[in-house]
Amino acid sequence: MTSRTALIGIPLAAFGLGYWIAPKEQLDTVVEHTGFLQTDTKKVLSATVESLRSENKMLVLSYKGTVRVKVERTKFWVLGASQELIVPGVVNYYLDLSKLSLADVTFDEKAKLVRVKLPPVVMGDIAFQPEQATTINGGVLTFSQAQVDELLKANYASARRAMTAQAQGPGFVDAARRQAIGNVQSYFEVPLRIVGQPDVKVVATF
């Protein structure tokens, strides 16, 4: 968990640093000064949305699990083969930020509240770790390498279905959504603080 938090924190820190080190001329093209410590908040939000969109995908959570599956085959009613596969895999959850637009962001000036409507969390492909897998073969037919390879192919297909079912569990999906909300809120809060709007609250929802 610590390593994942550090990984997610990198773009947030880099994003804030970019605002600090940007030359004044560049900053003024994004933020219009209308008075002492006053800014055009909508332009700040617009710049933030474009920055997020340029990220394309935001990694919000990684889940590593292990599945155990087994397949059995029989030929001529007497010749059999079986194979058990135990394999770990990693599933990543993302926000597709290319679907975020300024229309998804509203600013209530009186309430000093920014609302952000997030795109759905999507699950990436499963990355199995075959170098850490265990296979247990049994039966006369497993003396054939071709038969072993066929069993392994069938087992990985079953393992993919099993891992997908695990990763789609409500606990993991809810955790990914919470992390996505926190990440996006931070992305909006950092530039608002930098330009003198620390009292504006950001609320991201799905």
Side-chain angles (χ1 to χ4, degrees):
M1 184 63 70
T2 302
S3 60
R4 181 164 59 242
T5 303
L7 175 64
I8 292 172
I10 289 173
L12 300 185
F15 184 71
L17 180 61
Y19 267 82
W20 279 115
I21 67 175
K24 185 176 186 297
E25 291 78 6
Q26 180 181 344
L27 186 61
D28 286 350
T29 63
V30 177
V31 183
E32 176 186 348
H33 290 266
T34 57
F36 182 68
L37 290 182
Q38 293 183 353
T39 58
D40 186 336
T41 304
K42 290 183 179 179
K43 287 189 177 181
V44 176
L45 298 178
S46 177
T48 305
V49 169
E50 288 306 309
S51 176
L52 283 168
R53 283 175 57 83
S54 69
E55 295 286 336
N56 194 19
K57 282 186 177 182
M58 176 189 285
L59 174 64
V60 295
L61 187 72
S62 290
Y63 159 65
K64 182 175 181 179
T66 301
V67 293
R68 180 192 296 259
V69 292
K70 185 176 182 178
V71 63
E72 296 179 334
R73 298 283 171 83
T74 302
K75 287 186 178 181
F76 310 117
W77 296 280
V78 291
L79 299 178
S82 67
Q83 184 186 83
E84 185 175 8
L85 172 67
I86 306 165
V87 59
V90 177
V91 181
N92 293 325
Y93 303 79
Y94 299 92
L95 275 184
D96 185 355
L97 296 174
S98 66
K99 295 181 178 179
L100 183 69
S101 72
L102 195 56
D104 298 312
V105 181
T106 58
F107 174 50
D108 186 333
E109 189 171 0
K110 285 188 176 181
K112 291 187 177 296
L113 178 65
V114 173
R115 295 186 182 276
V116 184
K117 180 69 173 177
L118 299 178
V121 170
V122 294
M123 191 176 76
D125 195 17
I126 297 168
F128 285 116
Q129 299 175 324
E131 69 280 1
Q132 299 180 27
T134 299
T135 55
I136 304 171
N137 297 313
V140 175
L141 292 178
T142 56
F143 286 103
S144 165
Q145 185 59 45
Q147 186 66 39
V148 170
D149 292 343
E150 185 179 334
L151 293 172
L152 189 61
K153 183 177 179 181
N155 259 330
Y156 266 103
S158 297
R160 187 171 298 278
R161 290 191 295 270
M163 181 69 78
T164 299
Q166 280 186 22
Q168 289 177 337
F172 298 114
V173 174
D174 288 346
R177 285 161 66 96
R178 287 194 302 270
Q179 189 65 56
I181 287 171
N183 285 4
V184 171
Q185 287 179 173
S186 294
Y187 253 104
F188 278 88
E189 289 167 353
V190 168
L192 287 170
R193 286 199 303 267
I194 290 173
V195 298
Q197 298 274 15
D199 54 341
V200 175
K201 183 179 180 182
V202 181
V203 176
T205 58
F206 285 95

